[in-house]
Amino acid sequence: MISARAQNPSSEQRLGEIDGLRAIAMTMVIAQHCGIAPFGWTGVWLFYCISGFVITRRLVQDDRARAPISGGSRYLAFVYRRFFRIIPVYLLYLGLASSLLLLSRQTESIQNIPFLLTFTFNWQAIFQFRPAPDGPFGPLWTLSVEEQFYLVFPALFLLLPRRQFLSVATILIAAGPLIRHLMSGILYRMSPDPGFVAFGVYASSFTQFDAFLMGALVACRESWLRTHPKMVRYFSVIAAVAMLTYVAAYVGINISNGARGIDIMRNIVSGVLWGNGRETVLYTVLDLIWISAIMWTLIRPKFLRPLAWPALVFVGRVSYGGYLYHALVLWVLFTTVIPADPTLAIPSRLLLFVVVWCITVTFASISYHWFEMPIMAWANRRLRQAPRRMGDAT
């Protein structure tokens, strides 16, 4: 059954179900870092797809809500919104983490600050221009990927006519596997280490732009998808078949290479994600799965209602801060309370996950309500006072 709200795409500005997906993505990442979810890293790709969808949806809504303004003004509005949503709490986190590193006399990780401030930390993580431990900064390479996408995206969406944008975005999405294949070849020539090649494809920005662009295309076609729910179902079937085909193919490859037991599932969706074309196709099929989930939130079937539960929506709204703070919470616990032991028993890992998740959400909630929201409200007021209205900062 499709709800009445799903038939009217302009009935509300924010989708609670998307916040529910954000909460799931954040929880998956925390579970991965606590050692209980080998596939939790895929939550980052859910964040990527959601990011492309949400920012494009807002731009589409701006098109419908007000008279067109120049591409340059819209670009400035885009940068303004992104700056006040991402940068203040990001700088707060860097300052807090750096202070704790200095107090604990673990200063090596602070060498990463120049790369973190310039959003080039993903390239530092790949090539180790200045070898230094990650410490509480480890997961922040993903924000570099996102910010690098924002350098390209406005030029595509804001400056190209809509039909041209849709065509270019479709071509870039289709080229995603080829781009990853070429990147893996370049990296392999630099080093035959499969771990280096796998992480290089995993953390490079332009090898993952198709995830954001898929989200952008869904946002552009939102009204059509709402009125054609069968297409969402068909797309979901295609995504599921693609993933099952990928898994079956690499299970067969593992068996042919002599794997037995649990080893037949290694290096398929976790582990070393390079070799036999894994790095070429995995991210595409993964993006298809997450994009199908986003599509389902548009038509709002009954089985997705839990995604809009207030508690889950609340966690989703503070999930950006949660993504930041969870790494610091883990680092503090591993530094002061428990050792970072890979042989830690499963019950202990589960307990660690519960503790980290609760502390993280608490810190993220405080940050969101007492730091992030006041700054965004101030930015909104400044924007409304500007000679030309460009949009809200939130």
Side-chain angles (χ1 to χ4, degrees):
M1 294 293 293
I2 310 302
S3 70
R5 289 185 300 174
Q7 302 299 329
N8 182 8
S10 62
S11 61
E12 60 183 298
Q13 296 295 307
R14 187 165 188 140
L15 295 171
E17 291 85 351
I18 291 294
D19 285 319
L21 288 178
R22 281 193 178 109
I24 290 173
M26 184 197 76
T27 300
M28 290 175 66
V29 173
I30 295 176
Q32 164 90 26
H33 293 156
C34 290
I36 63 171
F39 311 138
W41 66 270
T42 64
V44 171
W45 271 251
L46 176 53
F47 273 130
Y48 288 165
C49 292
I50 290 173
S51 180
F53 171 75
V54 169
I55 62 175
T56 308
R57 187 173 189 257
R58 178 55 187 272
L59 291 170
V60 171
Q61 290 173 344
D62 286 348
D63 283 344
R64 296 169 179 167
R66 57 176 67 93
I69 59 177
S70 69
S73 296
R74 296 195 71 192
Y75 179 81
L76 292 176
F78 179 89
V79 172
Y80 187 90
R81 289 195 297 265
R82 290 292 86 198
F83 181 90
F84 283 102
R85 182 65 194 99
I86 293 173
I87 301 301
V89 68
Y90 179 73
L91 293 179
L92 174 67
Y93 179 81
L94 293 184
L96 179 60
S98 298
S99 298
L100 292 176
L101 286 167
L102 288 171
L103 287 173
S104 65
R105 297 183 180 179
Q106 299 183 35
T107 58
E108 293 92 346
S109 295
I110 297 178
Q111 297 178 46
N112 291 312
I113 288 293
F115 302 100
L116 291 161
L117 290 175
T118 56
F119 291 103
T120 56
F121 188 47
N122 61 320
W123 301 113
Q124 156 68 359
I126 295 169
F127 296 111
Q128 292 291 297
F129 299 114
R130 182 186 300 171
D134 292 331
F137 302 136
L140 300 188
W141 65 266
T142 61
L143 295 179
S144 294
V145 171
E146 187 166 349
E147 291 302 302
Q148 288 164 35
F149 173 74
Y150 293 153
L151 292 177
V152 178
F153 177 76
L156 290 177
F157 186 87
L158 300 176
L159 302 181
L160 291 177
R162 184 61 52 82
R163 287 187 177 181
Q164 289 186 20
F165 166 76
L166 294 175
S167 298
V168 170
T170 301
I171 292 171
L172 290 174
I173 290 169
L178 176 61
I179 293 170
R180 285 187 281 272
H181 176 73
L182 294 174
M183 181 65 176
S184 68
I186 293 171
L187 293 172
Y188 183 69
R189 291 183 180 90
M190 296 176 64
S191 170
D193 178 11
F196 169 75
V197 177
F199 186 75
V201 175
Y202 174 80
S204 297
S205 53
F206 52 84
T207 57
Q208 306 302 342
F209 280 173
D210 51 340
F212 298 92
L213 289 171
M214 284 188 189
L217 287 188
V218 171
C220 290
R221 304 298 293 170
E222 177 179 352
S223 298
W224 185 83
L225 289 169
R226 287 179 182 275
T227 56
H228 294 80
K230 286 186 178 180
M231 298 308 298
V232 175
R233 298 187 183 98
Y234 294 152
F235 186 90
S236 298
V237 171
I238 292 171
V241 170
M243 178 58 78
L244 290 173
T245 301
Y246 166 80
V247 171
Y250 287 97
V251 163
I253 289 173
N254 285 348
I255 292 173
S256 68
N257 289 335
R260 296 294 182 269
I262 192 62
D263 286 343
I264 66 174
M265 297 302 298
R266 294 190 186 279
N267 305 327
I268 296 178
V269 189
S270 64
V272 177
L273 302 176
W274 179 83
N276 303 112
R278 286 171 174 82
E279 74 286 357
T280 298
V281 296
L282 168 60
Y283 302 105
T284 295
V285 297
L286 182 61
D287 293 341
L288 292 175
I289 292 294
W290 290 137
I291 285 298
S292 67
I294 292 173
M295 287 182 175
W296 277 103
T297 68
L298 300 180
I299 61 175
R300 288 176 161 163
K302 289 183 178 179
F303 70 85
L304 283 187
R305 286 181 181 175
L307 284 179
W309 285 350
L312 202 59
V313 169
F314 172 80
V315 174
R317 291 196 175 189
V318 304
S319 60
Y320 171 48
Y323 186 82
L324 293 174
Y325 292 117
H326 88 277
L328 184 58
V329 173
L330 270 170
W331 177 81
V332 170
L333 289 175
F334 286 146
T335 302
T336 63
V337 180
I338 59 175
D341 185 359
T343 64
L344 199 65
I346 296 297
S348 298
R349 295 184 189 184
L350 289 171
L351 178 60
L352 174 66
F353 165 74
V354 171
V355 171
V356 171
W357 191 92
C358 291
I359 295 175
T360 295
V361 172
T362 299
F363 272 87
S365 301
I366 294 170
S367 172
Y368 183 77
H369 290 289
W370 295 97
F371 183 76
E372 298 167 58
M373 286 189 69
I375 288 177
M376 288 188 288
W378 174 85
N380 279 336
R381 291 193 297 271
R382 289 290 301 271
L383 197 54
R384 293 189 191 100
Q385 295 167 2
R388 305 185 70 173
R389 292 189 61 190
M390 298 183 294
D392 293 331
T394 57

